[in-house]
Amino acid sequence: MIGVTENLRKIRDLLADCAAEAERDPASVTLVAVSKKQTVERILEAASGGQRHFGENVVQEALPKIEQLAGQDLVWHFIGRLQSNKTRAVARHFDWVHSIDRLALAERLAEQRPAERPPLNVCLQVNVDQDEGKAGVLPVDLPELATAVAGLKGLRLRGLMCIPTPRAGFDAQREPFRMLRDLATYLANDAITMDTLSMGMSADYRAAVLEGSTIVRIGTALFGKRR
């Protein structure tokens, strides 16, 4: 079995190297361990190595893990495509949602967020490839959505997320991440301030960090290939 703790140490070292290459503080990059299809025991192994942020993309798989690990002081990120009939569970049990791409979803999450919990941290998923078959708001529609979501009580708009089509070559990998960073800058100029760029996974995190990523979502490099 792959040693999760050892992999975690290696990934942190690699991320620190990427941050140094970008002349950034390594602490400015948060690792979200994508724990889809991983057991509670494997998650606990990562947690024992100091990993605190975990990402899940299937609600019904995630909820039992969140319940069993309630005493571990973990931060749970929903990173998958969100269906309307799953928003209540996500609003109640997660700390972050990375995949909002339409106002109706954000409104449901805002209404269903328990009053006793802090605002739900949210990112808007952007379709940087502008592919009709992919999830995410189109760049041209992003300012309107961002303005609306920023005004919803119960949510805190933190930033933008993307999952670009895989690209061959390092320079090509950087292009969609640069686009997302530029979109965030554009919104900031329009008085929509955010602090998060959720971009980069096991195959392209270096390109993402060099373009300003503050959250990378890594599963395979940490836990190994899913069964």
Side-chain angles (χ1 to χ4, degrees), residues 165-210:
T165 300
R167 288 161 165 77
F170 183 67
D171 290 340
Q173 285 183 343
R174 294 182 66 163
E175 291 173 4
F177 300 139
R178 186 179 304 118
M179 176 189 292
L180 199 72
R181 184 195 65 199
D182 290 345
L183 287 169
T185 300
Y186 176 82
L187 292 176
N189 291 336
D190 206 23
I192 300 175
T193 57
M194 299 175 292
D195 60 9
T196 300
L197 287 174
S198 173
M199 56 189 196
M201 298 188 288
S202 293
D204 56 12
Y205 63 84
R206 178 170 169 253
V209 171
L210 288 178

Side-chain angles (χ1 to χ4, degrees), residues 66-201:
I66 294 173
E67 182 178 355
Q68 291 179 61
L69 296 165
Q72 298 295 318
D73 191 31
L74 304 180
V75 180
W76 292 96
H77 299 244
F78 186 78
I79 58 176
R81 199 164 196 169
L82 183 57
Q83 298 172 314
S84 296
N85 63 351
K86 298 294 193 300
T87 55
R88 185 175 299 277
V90 170
R92 287 178 176 271
H93 297 285
F94 282 83
D95 305 290
W96 284 74
V97 176
H98 291 237
S99 50
I100 292 176
D101 60 3
R102 57 192 187 277
L103 182 58
L105 281 179
E107 289 174 336
R108 288 178 67 89
L109 290 168
E111 291 169 3
Q112 295 164 348
R113 182 68 168 174
E116 67 273 14
R117 297 208 62 187
L120 181 64
N121 299 295
V122 299
C123 293
L124 305 181
Q125 182 173 354
V126 181
N127 185 348
V128 289
D129 295 309
Q130 303 188 59
D131 181 345
E132 292 183 359
K134 296 192 69 174
V137 60
L138 292 172
V140 68
D141 298 321
L142 177 62
E144 182 179 0
L145 179 61
T147 299
V149 172
L152 291 175
K153 184 178 180 181
L155 303 185
R156 181 184 174 193
L157 178 59
R158 295 296 298 269
L160 307 178
M161 184 272 262
C162 70
I163 307 176
T165 300
R167 288 161 165 77
F170 183 67
D171 290 340
Q173 285 183 343
R174 294 182 66 163
E175 291 173 4
F177 300 139
R178 186 179 304 118
M179 176 189 292
L180 199 72
R181 184 195 65 199
D182 290 345
L183 287 169
T185 300
Y186 176 82
L187 292 176
N189 291 336
D190 206 23
I192 300 175
T193 57
M194 299 175 292
D195 60 9
T196 300
L197 287 174
S198 173
M199 56 189 196
M201 298 188 288

Side-chain angles (χ1 to χ4, degrees), residues 23-57:
E23 299 183 342
R24 297 174 55 193
D25 182 352
S28 67
V29 183
T30 296
L31 169 63
V32 170
V34 180
S35 46
K36 175 186 177 182
K37 294 188 178 180
Q38 301 300 327
T39 64
V40 167
E41 289 73 23
R42 299 274 275 170
I43 295 171
L44 279 172
E45 186 178 351
S48 71
Q51 180 61 27
R52 186 162 177 255
H53 295 260
F54 291 86
E56 294 277 338
N57 62 358

